Amino acid sequence: MVAPAVRVAPSAATRALNLLRTVQFTHPPSCPCHSNPSHHHHHQQQQQTLSLAHHVRRHLATPVDPSREKEYAFEMAASSIRFGPGATKEVGMDFKNLGAKRVCVVTDANVAKLDAMKQAVEGLSREGIEFTVFDKVRVEPKDSSIKEAIAFAKPYNPDAFLAVGGGSVIDTAKLMNLYTVFPDADFLDFVNAPLGKGLPVTKPLKPLVAVPTTAGTGSETTGTAIFDLVAKKAKTGVAHRNLKPTLGICDPINTRTMPSAVHASSGLDVLCHSLESWTAIPFNERVPRPTNPINRPAYQGANPISDIFSLNALRSTVKYLPRAVKDPEDFEAQSQMLLAATLAGVGFGNAGVHLCHGMSYPISGQNPGYKHAGYAVDHPIIPHGVSVAVTAPAVFRFTAPSNPDRHLAAAEAFGVDISNVKRESAGEVLSEAIAEFLIKLGDQPRGLKALGFKSSDIDSLVEGTIPQKRVLMLAPNLSEEISAEKEELRKLFEQSMEY
Ligand SMILES: NC(=O)c1ccc[n+]([C@@H]2O[C@H](COP(=O)([O-])OP(=O)(O)OC[C@H]3O[C@@H](n4cnc5c(N)ncnc54)[C@H](O)[C@@H]3O)[C@@H](O)[C@H]2O)c1
Ligand SMILES: *[C@@H]1O[C@H](CO)[C@@H](O)[C@H](O)[C@H]1NC(C)=O
Ligand SMILES: [Fe+2]
């Protein structure tokens, strides 16, 4: 029932009619009027005419409830990126070029001792730029550690920030920047709703240059900052384009010193960023469409530009992560992983992530006491990358019916020959490919059980996932109705107990 193609130049009226026919018959779900099934099956010409009249009224006259309108546009935002071995030493000149006079350097106690910090600090000194160093970032920050960092930055009143470290450092620096520009704001004002107020950031922030030392979060390109909100037993954060670093300096020399365990878990974060953004609901299925572009979320759903970054990052990660983890001398693999992390950052920074990330926030927030081997920290830790990967085999089995072709393309990226795979098997095949990849990578807990979770913990993991609206709204095949949604999440956690 497709409207006939128009071959002669149609009059305005015919054009309108054809447009309406197209709307009505080829894409019923994109028309909000059609959520009422009685508007669908018109068999008689008369009814069709009535229906067209109805459309003219609905589309041209009566305003449609904006809270039910689907999105029609997407917007790309990413930091400037400079990539190259040795580029860290340029950072002093960058601040000089920006006109910065007083820089707050942010790092953690491990990274403070590395060559990356030495290069950055020497660069600032060479240019005669005044700076101070905050090196107390907590690995996997929590609200209290973020507040401590903000309390350090406020009285120093820097005119720019430099973050040298992994996602923990870069995210902390973003929030130091935010709350020094809004010194009177309440801490929860900008935190994602419903845990916080989710207010938009209405002013530009100060320049932030980010020098990542892990190949993971892509935080150097995104407006996202994540921390553990202890009182709510779940991770959450602030997500707004204004938090994006001004510049990300990706210097593959800086990631060489990562312990193998950090290579692995930060790389698994890249894997999930690319898989989740590639399979997120399409941007034009997201509801509601914002009435003002300032309210268009950064996490918009899969879109044609993000797709390019996400799929490319997925292919690179499958190829280079195992090499980077196994061989500390494999500089090519390490460079390619740093690039993949940034590519995935651009992909998910605009398309968003969904279930692995949404479910990971209570997993790391409710850690029963697990401490991942190879992490030089003095507290229990389920590294972010481990917490997202642990549910991946279950998650992509669940989401595959939403778009079997994309899930098959992902399986193909893992090296599966998909030429004879049925579309109905896409989920099973991708799930197996992911599990096999994780097992071969080595030293990965094979499920929530290995992290110390019991079946009796699932209820509270589900409760901790529900508030992650910002990412759950991008999860394909997840019910909107709350009791059905909880049941689906419960099953996903159950299936993730062991893989
Ligand atoms: N902003 C975002 O968009 C985003 C995305 C994903 C994750 N995150 C967050 O980022 C955090 C995780 O960041 P991460 O995975 O980059 O790791 P990280 O910053 O937590 O660092 C992990 C460990 O590696 C050490 N380390 C870092 N670089 C090193 C190097 N080159 N050599 C030796 N040791 C090094 C650190 O000191 C730390 O002990 C989590 O809190 C996570 O929630 C943020
Ligand atoms: C998953 O979503 C797709 C498209 O949104 C739909 O066609 C399919 O029926 C859903 N499958 C399940 C099992 O919910
Ligand atoms: Fe992540």
Side-chain angles (χ1 to χ4, degrees):
M1 289 210 297
V2 178
V6 179
R7 287 176 208 281
V8 290
S11 70
T14 339
R15 268 204 308 273
L17 211 65
N18 275 311
L19 181 67
L20 291 173
R21 285 211 183 102
T22 309
V23 165
Q24 184 180 8
F25 294 120
T26 56
H27 304 289
S30 71
C31 169
C33 321
H34 285 287
S35 50
N36 177 347
S38 70
H39 289 142
H40 274 255
H41 310 286
H42 309 288
H43 303 293
Q44 291 168 9
Q45 186 60 44
Q46 190 188 7
Q47 271 176 310
Q48 226 177 70
T49 316
L50 278 173
S51 172
L52 285 171
H54 147 87
H55 268 288
V56 172
R57 264 197 331 278
R58 288 296 294 262
H59 286 272
L60 305 178
T62 326
V64 175
D65 175 4
S67 70
R68 292 176 49 216
E69 288 254 57
K70 286 183 179 168
E71 180 62 279
Y72 68 96
F74 65 93
E75 180 170 333
M76 291 303 288
S79 302
S80 289
I81 292 296
R82 182 183 304 146
F83 188 100
T88 312
K89 60 179 178 301
E90 297 182 357
V91 76
M93 292 180 270
D94 286 310
F95 282 105
K96 185 122 195 182
N97 296 340
L98 283 164
K101 300 208 160 49
R102 219 173 140 75
V103 176
C104 181
V105 182
V106 185
T107 190
D108 71 32
N110 295 328
V111 179
K113 299 183 208 120
L114 301 179
D115 196 52
M117 258 301 275
K118 187 162 164 260
Q119 294 295 327
V121 160
E122 279 178 11
L124 290 171
S125 308
R126 232 178 358 251
E127 300 299 323
I129 292 171
E130 186 199 316
F131 65 90
T132 187
V133 177
F134 177 78
D135 65 2
K136 294 192 175 52
V137 166
R138 182 186 152 99
V139 178
E140 309 262 335
K142 38 184 185 178
D143 46 355
S144 55
S145 77
I146 299 283
K147 285 178 185 160
E148 192 189 322
I150 295 167
F152 176 93
K154 272 186 182 172
Y156 184 68
N157 196 26
D159 55 17
F161 290 84
L162 168 62
V164 183
S168 298
V169 167
I170 301 174
D171 287 6
T172 301
K174 287 175 182 173
L175 295 168
M176 292 164 87
N177 191 358
L178 176 65
Y179 289 96
T180 43
V181 171
F182 291 89
D184 301 323
D186 188 74
F187 185 66
L188 288 177
D189 280 357
F190 300 111
V191 172
N192 298 322
L195 296 174
K197 289 197 201 128
L199 298 182
V201 179
T202 50
K203 280 190 279 192
L205 305 189
K206 290 173 180 164
L208 162 64
V209 177
V211 181
T213 62
T214 60
T217 68
S219 185
E220 66 280 4
T221 78
T222 70
T224 305
I226 303 290
F227 57 85
D228 191 358
L229 190 57
V230 174
K232 300 284 182 187
K233 291 193 177 166
K235 280 191 161 191
T236 181
V238 179
H240 192 276
R241 293 186 182 86
N242 289 13
L243 267 69
K244 274 190 338 280
T246 323
L247 171 67
I249 299 184
C250 300
D251 180 344
I253 293 176
N254 293 339
T255 59
R256 297 183 96 160
T257 48
M258 271 195 281
S260 164
V262 179
H263 267 300
S265 39
S266 58
L268 290 177
D269 196 17
V270 182
L271 188 81
C272 289
H273 289 161
S274 48
L275 279 167
E276 287 171 74
S277 52
W278 172 244
T279 55
I281 68 158
F283 74 97
N284 54 3
E285 291 290 319
R286 201 187 72 246
V287 177
R289 162 200 306 182
T291 48
N292 181 322
I294 199 179
N295 294 324
R296 181 164 285 126
Y299 286 8
Q300 302 164 89
N303 64 73
I305 302 184
S306 285
D307 285 350
I308 297 171
F309 287 82
S310 304
L311 190 57
N312 207 304
L314 176 62
R315 291 182 177 137
S316 281
T317 304
V318 169
K319 181 165 177 194
Y320 294 110
L321 181 58
R323 280 172 51 181
V325 168
K326 283 192 181 82
D327 182 2
E329 303 300 321
D330 192 339
F331 189 61
E332 185 198 7
Q334 289 165 19
S335 302
Q336 291 293 338
M337 273 313 297
L338 182 59
L339 193 57
T342 302
L343 294 179
V346 176
F348 94 85
N350 291 284
V353 283
H354 55 80
L355 285 163
C356 297
H357 272 73
M359 293 166 71
S360 83
Y361 298 136
I363 292 174
S364 36
Q366 297 173 24
N367 182 359
Y370 175 86
K371 185 165 180 286
H372 197 65
Y375 267 65
V377 293
D378 56 5
H379 51 81
I381 185 167
I382 304 173
H384 173 69
V386 171
S387 71
V388 289
V390 75
T391 59
V395 161
F396 296 101
R397 194 188 304 120
F398 173 78
T399 56
S402 68
N403 195 334
D405 293 338
R406 276 189 184 235
H407 289 71
L408 284 175
E412 193 171 29
F414 282 93
V416 178
D417 174 8
I418 58 158
S419 52
N420 291 314
V421 179
K422 289 202 197 75
R423 295 174 86 246
E424 305 85 78
S425 312
E428 207 45 59
V429 166
L430 178 56
S431 171
E432 273 170 28
I434 296 169
E436 195 189 304
F437 181 84
L438 295 173
I439 293 165
K440 278 198 185 148
L441 195 63
D443 298 326
Q444 290 307 307
R446 287 181 63 171
L448 292 169
K449 229 185 219 175
L451 295 173
F453 287 98
K454 301 192 200 67
S455 302
S456 54
D457 297 321
I458 291 182
D459 275 337
S460 106
L461 290 171
V462 171
E463 290 306 318
T465 309
I466 293 293
Q468 308 293 337
K469 302 261 180 265
R470 187 177 61 99
V471 293
L472 292 186
M473 74 177 185
L474 298 172
N477 284 119
L478 188 68
S479 297
E480 266 180 58
E481 196 275 314
I482 182 79
S483 61
E485 182 185 18
K486 284 188 181 176
E487 200 39 49
E488 288 156 358
L489 290 170
R490 157 180 294 285
K491 282 212 184 96
L492 288 170
F493 280 116
E494 266 163 18
Q495 292 165 3
S496 301
M497 288 304 278
E498 239 172 320
Y499 63 76

